[in-house]
Amino acid sequence: MNASAMPDFGLPDPADRPARLSVGVVGAGRVGTALGVALGRAGHRVVAASAVSEASRLRVEERLPEAEVTDPRDVVAASELVLLTVPDDALPELAAGLVATGTPLEGRLVAHTSGRYGAAVLNPLTEAGALPLALHPVMTFTGRPDDVNRLTGISFGVTSPEPLRPVAEALVLEMGGEPVWIAEERRPLYHAALASGANHLVTLVVEAMDLLRTAGVDEPGRMLGPLLGAALDNGLRLGIDGLTGPVARGDAGTVAEHVAELGRISPESRRAYIALARLTADRALAAGRLKPEDAERLLEALAD
């Protein structure tokens, strides 16, 4: 939505806003219930939630005991702030469905927690009078009671129409998080970066543990823990200057041996190793950490 098409949201002055909002959760999964608890701690009141599975119903009962379990339309009708905490692929259909069923939306804050989408995915709701927010908590949630404690100090990717930005950021602060503004058009890149860093990291750790077990290590997690902790700390603090290992040293012979051994054990592991080693070599070369002649030898060792 461009600036010229931006509706007049009719926002009240912050000083005139009620201290407490009635909150509804559509999709009472791990994220929705954690955010509901956090908002409750901040003084708001979770009054309704939709929960399809038995596990979701139990979460509402345990974590949001004051919330009535009902259908999404009634959740929205009962709430001043609605959290749409459903899977990414379900969000556009949910937004369209709420409008199609005549759900009352005028003046309600409607926030989704998808990393993929900005506020535009809620355009059907916005056109019906809702106030759209994208509040994505940058954290993994396991469904355990301590999920809500993980919100303290984490970043939230925030996107909204500019007039609603103070409201979005205030809600994040109330939940204990740090709002980080993400432009609407940058949401796919933002989410790809997070997924690559977090999800692929788990895959790499599991892969390394499996290979170590094959090599005869009984407790690969215990072996990897200190090493990976130090590597993560180096990467976050130092960037590419924290890189160590055979690629950083230009040790093409070692890399070639790795490729050969992985090809014998697991072709999939070999392909992943080659792709990541090439990316590592490119970054090390661009940063001046790797000499051009060493990079050339490495790329020869990494040729398919």
Side-chain angles (χ1 to χ4, degrees):
M1 184 178 294
N2 59 43
S4 62
M6 185 73 68
D8 178 7
F9 288 105
L11 289 175
D13 186 277
D16 297 331
R17 293 187 64 208
R20 291 161 58 93
L21 294 172
S22 56
V23 179
V25 180
V26 177
R30 300 172 181 179
V31 177
T33 52
L35 297 189
V37 172
L39 288 167
R41 290 180 178 179
H44 304 293
R45 187 166 61 93
V46 181
V47 296
S50 68
V52 176
S53 69
E54 183 62 25
S56 294
R57 288 177 175 271
L58 286 174
R59 285 194 192 97
V60 174
E61 182 180 327
E62 293 172 359
R63 302 184 183 186
L64 309 172
E66 295 185 8
E68 177 188 1
V69 176
T70 185
D71 63 82
R73 186 182 187 281
D74 287 342
V75 170
V76 176
S79 307
E80 296 165 304
L81 167 63
V82 183
L83 302 180
L84 304 182
T85 50
V86 298
D88 289 1
D89 288 348
L91 191 55
E93 183 178 352
L94 174 60
L98 289 173
V99 173
T101 56
T103 302
L105 294 159
E106 184 73 31
R108 288 168 170 80
L109 292 163
V110 180
H112 75 72
T113 58
S114 167
R116 171 184 174 185
Y117 293 111
V121 72
L122 300 180
N123 277 351
L125 307 181
T126 306
E127 292 167 3
L131 311 177
L133 312 173
L135 309 177
H136 175 239
V138 184
M139 179 49 64
T140 59
F141 296 87
T142 63
R144 296 170 60 86
D146 62 351
D147 276 349
V148 67
N149 297 326
R150 293 185 170 193
L151 296 173
T152 301
I154 70 165
S155 297
F156 278 66
V158 172
T159 305
S160 73
E162 188 62 34
L164 291 173
R165 181 171 177 174
V167 178
E169 293 178 341
L171 287 171
V172 169
L173 291 170
E174 285 188 327
M175 288 186 284
E178 178 183 350
V180 179
W181 183 256
I182 308 294
E184 180 78 35
E185 67 275 12
R186 295 296 187 184
R187 291 292 289 209
L189 179 60
Y190 153 82
H191 196 228
L194 294 176
S196 181
N199 304 154
H200 297 168
L201 177 61
V202 173
T203 303
L204 284 172
V205 171
V206 173
E207 171 78 356
M209 290 197 295
D210 286 347
L211 293 173
L212 284 171
R213 289 189 188 97
T214 303
V217 177
D218 292 331
E219 298 185 63
R222 184 174 181 178
M223 175 179 284
L224 282 170
L227 174 66
L228 297 185
L232 178 60
D233 180 64
N234 287 343
L236 292 174
R237 289 191 302 108
L238 305 174
I240 197 65
D241 287 338
L243 181 66
T244 62
V247 172
R249 296 192 298 267
D251 195 344
T254 297
V255 170
E257 185 175 30
H258 290 174
V259 171
E261 182 65 9
L262 289 173
R264 186 178 70 83
I265 297 296
S266 169
E268 292 82 5
S269 298
R270 178 182 180 274
R271 287 194 291 270
Y273 181 98
I274 287 174
L276 288 170
R278 284 174 174 169
L279 180 59
T280 302
D282 287 344
R283 283 190 168 272
L285 179 62
R289 297 291 311 281
L290 192 62
K291 296 178 181 179
E293 56 269 27
D294 291 336
E296 185 176 351
R297 287 193 294 272
L298 281 169
L299 293 177
E300 290 175 1
L302 295 166
D304 288 330

